Amino acid sequence: MTKALAEQGAHVVMACRSIDRGEDAKREIEAEVPEASLTVHELDLADLDSVAAFAEWFESMYDELHVLCNNAGIMAIPRKETTDGFEYQFGVNHLGHFALTAHLLPLLEQTPGTTRVVTQSSVAHRNSEIDFEDLQGEQSYSAWDAYGQSKLANLLFAYELDRRLRAADASVISVACHPGWAATNLQRRGPEQSGSQLRLWMMKLANAVIAQSAERGAEPMLYAATDPGIEGGEYVGPDGFRNMRGSPEIQESSDRSYDVDTAKRLWEVSEDLTGVSFDLPLVEANWQ
């Protein structure tokens, strides 16, 4: 994703939890794209203070933001908590992005032209629901259920954000996407942290047999972030078998992801948990 944007002349701020790994990636891209304009800065989505500090730094350095890509993800790991006490997958995948978007939305709004927030979901959202009675998995925890819940939360947030932006007649649109199954290090984290060699072997096999490359997996987000025909509230994913691989296209997500009442409730809960709010009008549940 970063490499593709850099090849087209964009300046990309690489927000990374690990500065060392971020700088390594920056050097790799610069070796292939000598003209790349890249900046690495620390951002830990598991720490709301880090999210606020990143946004403050960004606003001190830049007076424009054209695309915000909410792309960080943790998948199917043993239960642990963020710095702020949230279940880690829900905290990083949803709440961290929710807070970051709220902090940077004013800059997106003041940037000339139509700007975008692109939020990465997953096909894992399809069989998931938001468990408001045990949102943090304190009573019962399943690594995959928690992951699916966080990815459904990504879509509920993306669609609700677009509804509120349209109601405010804002120049910002909110778009969602998913990568299908892309062969990355994401699949290794859960098995490694749980110590399951069998799961690790199965993930490696699936990456070799089912997955598309990481580069192809980045195409839906790249499409959502740059295609001039994209409209707010759309969902982009691969067009191949079970949407696991292929070229990006506009798709439909699950019925639950379009539930306006659930989205409104999640929005309110997210504001309460993060202490961050958006200066956007409330949209009535029956407004489309």
Side-chain angles (χ1 to χ4, degrees):
M1 177 74 182
T2 299
K3 178 185 173 184
L5 291 172
E7 287 175 335
Q8 297 304 311
H11 176 69
V12 183
V13 175
M14 303 166 64
C16 303
R17 185 171 62 86
S18 169
I19 293 296
D20 289 342
R21 289 200 297 271
E23 290 291 351
D24 288 344
K26 178 175 180 285
R27 283 190 289 271
E28 290 178 10
I29 294 170
E30 289 172 338
E32 298 185 47
V33 188
E35 68 277 12
S37 178
L38 307 172
T39 298
V40 176
H41 197 79
E42 184 177 12
L43 169 61
D44 184 356
L45 289 166
D47 183 346
L48 292 177
D49 286 342
S50 175
V51 173
F54 173 84
E56 183 178 0
W57 167 82
F58 192 97
E59 290 175 327
S60 72
M61 295 292 294
Y62 304 98
D63 56 10
E64 291 187 357
L65 174 58
H66 296 268
V67 182
L68 171 61
C69 293
N70 290 326
N71 187 41
I74 301 294
M75 187 176 78
I77 62 172
R79 190 184 188 282
K80 63 178 183 177
E81 295 183 351
T82 68
T83 301
D84 304 285
F86 308 132
E87 185 276 313
Y88 209 84
Q89 297 187 84
F90 187 74
V92 170
N93 296 353
H94 169 59
L95 293 174
H97 288 131
F98 181 91
L100 179 64
T101 305
H103 285 304
L104 292 177
L105 185 59
L107 188 54
L108 284 158
E109 291 179 306
Q110 74 180 42
T111 300
T114 300
T115 58
R116 305 184 191 193
V117 177
V118 183
T119 300
Q120 184 88 281
S121 183
S122 164
V123 292
H125 87 276
R126 290 197 171 276
N127 297 316
S128 301
E129 58 184 342
I130 306 297
D131 185 359
F132 287 106
E133 303 307 312
D134 188 23
L135 200 57
Q136 308 297 342
E138 296 170 306
Q139 301 171 31
S140 176
Y141 181 77
S142 160
W144 281 106
D145 286 350
Y147 177 67
Q149 174 179 253
S150 73
K151 294 288 100 180
L152 176 58
N154 288 150
L155 286 174
L156 289 163
F157 166 58
Y159 297 154
E160 178 68 8
L161 175 60
D162 194 69
R163 284 189 287 268
R164 296 189 183 214
L165 288 167
R166 282 190 282 148
D169 197 26
S171 59
V172 188
I173 64 171
S174 173
V175 185
C177 62
H178 76 94
W181 190 312
T184 69
N185 290 330
L186 180 68
Q187 291 87 356
R188 296 171 41 197
R189 302 303 183 207
E192 287 177 344
Q193 292 186 27
S194 64
S196 174
Q197 290 300 312
L198 176 60
R199 280 184 59 202
L200 183 59
W201 179 84
M202 291 176 64
M203 285 296 182
K204 288 181 178 179
L205 179 63
N207 273 358
V209 175
I210 301 174
Q212 59 184 358
S213 68
E215 290 78 12
R216 290 303 304 272
E219 288 181 1
M221 175 160 273
L222 186 64
Y223 182 92
T226 63
D227 189 273
I230 287 288
E231 297 183 1
E234 290 188 317
Y235 178 58
V236 182
D239 65 358
F241 177 70
R242 298 183 67 85
N243 304 131
M244 290 293 189
R245 57 194 300 154
S247 299
E249 66 170 8
I250 305 299
Q251 300 175 351
E252 294 291 319
S253 51
S254 70
D255 289 344
R256 284 195 179 111
S257 70
Y258 296 109
D259 189 296
V260 180
D261 290 317
T262 302
K264 178 177 177 291
R265 184 178 179 185
L266 178 64
W267 187 285
E268 293 170 349
V269 168
S270 300
E271 287 188 329
D272 288 342
L273 290 173
T274 62
V276 174
S277 61
F278 289 73
D279 185 18
L280 291 173
L282 174 66
V283 180
E284 294 301 326
N286 62 355
W287 188 86
Q288 297 295 326

